[in-house]
Amino acid sequence: MFIYLEKLVNINNSREELNFLPQPRHFKQLGDIKYKIVEETLIYSDISENHSFILDQLQEKLLSFGLERKLEEKFLNSIKNINNLEDPLTICSREFPNLNLERDLNIKNMKEQGYLIISMNSSLLIKAECVQGLFYATQTLIQALNAHQNKLIVDQFIIIDYPLLQIRGISDDISRGQAPTIPNLKNFVQILSHFKINQYYLVYMQDMFQFKNHDEIGKGRGAYTKEEIKDLVNFSNERFVDIIPIFQTIGHWENILHNEKYWKYGEFPASNSLNIANDEIYDLLNEMIGELSEVFTSKYFHIAADESWDVGKGASNEFISKVGKGEAYVRHYKKVYDIAKRHGYEKIIIYHDILYKYE
């Protein structure tokens, strides 16, 4: 896959230093001559209509940087159809003589998320094996443009880049204090994607989601509808940010268990923890995780399970005394794990702070 810009205009009056975040794996600046993207610059690409959002986002950014109209786009089914384009691997070999190109270009993260940028001689080539790598390359290009006061100026350089870590994520506590709106979350996702963060965990979803049969949960708290989460997930998918819910499955239920209607599920009224001796909690968890799976389409699901301080201090005391706390916990975790798997989640994540204390 590729994006190719040609007919950039020579400009010599810019001296800004290039800085990138994260720093590319291999970067080399090629002389002091710089070029400018102008309205006559052309874009050639083999991007399919399904992935046209990458070009759309780049075009929107160029307009925000001062371009008066969108660049003309032309579809080419092969990079070989670009006239007078020197082979990219030949250029890389020449500019990085000590680099083992065969090794670097075949690293898994390079194939799945990596890219090549060559900016030289009034043209710019972006090349990647996967669409995610192509998107990350456009973010690097935007950073290079941002280095200049005139944000349409392009330096001459070559970059070979791929992430060291396949997963780069953050978690965000949206459930205590003021809840962010969907536009706020979208703005944040946009920033995360620009810096190549690819997982975003929402903490905690058990009372920040409007469940079909539980009108009182999340009421007045800013809880999100299914439509809002679908909108956020679709937006994030186009920026290669995986939205993953952190849904508490034992502790941190006080925002629900304070309600008399749900007392039967807790260790005691308004407790922190679910009563894991009560089989009815698994019907409730199954119902809730099932609804979440309709909108959170990631293969990852975070069952949290941290800070369950009240376990054994109320309704489950007899059960805990009989089987032991470690055994009681592992039975619970297995049941929750099976529920999440049943609803299509492939990778189950759990906090460690309670887990590591018991055999």
Side-chain angles (χ1 to χ4, degrees):
M1 304 182 75
F2 70 91
I3 298 172
Y4 180 73
L5 280 68
E6 72 169 13
K7 295 187 179 180
L8 282 71
V9 175
N10 189 327
I11 185 167
N12 294 308
N13 62 349
S14 180
R15 296 182 179 277
E16 290 90 348
E17 182 181 354
L18 282 180
N19 290 295
F20 300 98
L21 187 67
Q23 192 69 25
R25 296 288 295 155
H26 307 289
F27 167 74
K28 184 176 181 180
Q29 197 143 2
L30 305 175
D32 296 327
I33 297 175
K34 303 180 192 305
Y35 294 87
K36 184 179 179 182
I37 298 173
V38 295
E39 282 72 16
E40 291 69 34
T41 299
L42 300 175
I43 295 181
Y44 296 90
S45 179
D46 65 346
I47 294 178
S48 68
E49 191 173 338
N50 290 340
H51 300 130
S52 61
F53 59 83
I54 293 179
L55 282 178
D56 293 341
Q57 290 177 45
L58 178 59
Q59 291 268 31
E60 287 171 13
K61 202 67 179 178
L62 293 176
L63 290 174
S64 74
F65 283 166
L67 209 61
E68 292 186 3
R69 60 174 174 79
K70 288 185 176 181
L71 300 179
E72 182 181 351
E73 297 177 12
K74 296 187 176 184
F75 179 82
L76 286 180
N77 57 17
S78 173
I79 196 172
K80 295 178 182 178
N81 293 335
I82 300 175
N83 294 328
N84 303 317
L85 177 66
E86 187 179 359
D87 179 58
L89 295 184
T90 301
I91 298 173
C92 291
S93 298
R94 182 174 67 239
E95 300 299 336
F96 296 106
N98 297 322
L99 183 63
N100 186 337
L101 275 177
E102 185 176 354
R103 178 202 64 200
D104 272 49
L105 296 178
N106 284 288
I107 289 173
K108 184 175 187 288
N109 286 358
M110 178 67 187
K111 286 180 171 294
E112 295 181 356
Q113 300 184 42
Y115 59 88
L116 166 68
I117 304 179
I118 299 175
S119 171
M120 59 190 300
N121 301 331
S122 75
S123 65
L124 186 143
L125 173 68
I126 294 172
K127 190 174 185 302
E129 287 205 29
C130 290
V131 64
Q132 189 170 357
L134 207 67
F135 173 79
Y136 287 150
T138 63
Q139 301 309 304
T140 298
L141 173 59
I142 289 166
Q143 288 191 22
L145 296 171
N146 250 327
H148 299 277
Q149 282 190 324
N150 184 330
K151 298 187 183 302
L152 295 173
I153 292 176
V154 183
D155 295 78
Q156 294 194 92
F157 58 82
I158 181 169
I159 290 176
I160 302 172
D161 191 26
Y162 57 87
L164 288 179
L165 300 175
Q166 193 166 25
I167 293 174
R168 305 169 301 282
I170 68 162
S171 64
D172 187 10
D173 195 337
I174 62 167
S175 65
R176 287 178 279 203
Q178 189 174 14
T181 63
I182 294 298
N184 292 151
L185 291 173
K186 285 183 175 180
N187 286 338
F188 196 35
V189 166
Q190 183 73 51
I191 294 168
L192 294 178
S193 69
H194 182 61
F195 297 106
K196 306 178 178 73
I197 299 296
N198 62 6
Q199 286 190 353
Y200 182 29
Y201 293 80
L202 299 182
V203 187
Y204 298 116
M205 292 308 302
Q206 66 274 7
D207 65 323
M208 290 302 297
F209 185 78
Q210 295 182 19
F211 293 100
K212 180 174 59 179
N213 298 322
H214 303 277
D215 293 342
E216 295 176 47
I217 293 179
K219 192 174 183 179
R221 296 254 298 129
Y224 306 108
T225 65
K226 287 184 178 180
E227 290 71 27
E228 287 176 323
I229 295 296
K230 284 181 180 178
D231 182 36
L232 176 64
V233 168
N234 290 337
F235 178 88
S236 302
N237 286 345
E238 289 193 347
R239 286 148 183 84
F240 299 93
V241 178
D242 199 7
I243 303 292
I244 301 167
I246 300 183
F247 176 76
Q248 283 287 357
T249 52
I250 183 166
H252 285 289
W253 267 64
E254 58 270 21
N255 288 340
I256 298 174
L257 297 178
H258 78 278
N259 186 326
E260 185 175 356
K261 182 179 176 181
Y262 295 90
W263 281 0
K264 65 178 181 178
Y265 297 113
E267 283 284 348
F268 46 81
S271 68
N272 155 277
S273 303
L274 291 169
N275 171 16
I276 59 177
N278 179 5
D279 284 339
E280 288 184 63
I281 71 168
Y282 300 107
D283 294 330
L284 180 63
L285 292 174
N286 181 60
E287 177 190 350
M288 289 180 160
I289 292 173
E291 281 199 60
L292 291 172
S293 71
E294 295 173 11
V295 292
F296 288 103
T297 54
S298 171
K299 67 180 180 181
Y300 292 90
F301 190 78
H302 200 312
I303 66 172
D306 63 311
E307 299 180 344
S308 51
W309 299 307
D310 295 342
V311 170
K313 294 181 180 178
S316 72
N317 180 266
E318 184 178 345
F319 171 67
I320 297 292
S321 298
K322 181 179 178 181
V323 304
K325 189 169 277 191
E327 177 63 24
Y329 269 125
V330 78
R331 289 184 188 181
H332 174 74
Y333 297 149
K334 284 181 176 179
K335 289 177 182 177
V336 173
Y337 176 88
D338 288 342
I339 290 170
K341 285 283 190 173
R342 191 182 311 146
H343 290 291
Y345 289 108
E346 299 174 28
K347 304 286 186 180
I348 314 303
I349 306 170
I350 185 172
Y351 287 131
H352 80 286
D353 63 314
I354 299 297
L355 186 69
Y356 86 98
K357 293 179 181 178
Y358 305 95
E359 286 192 31

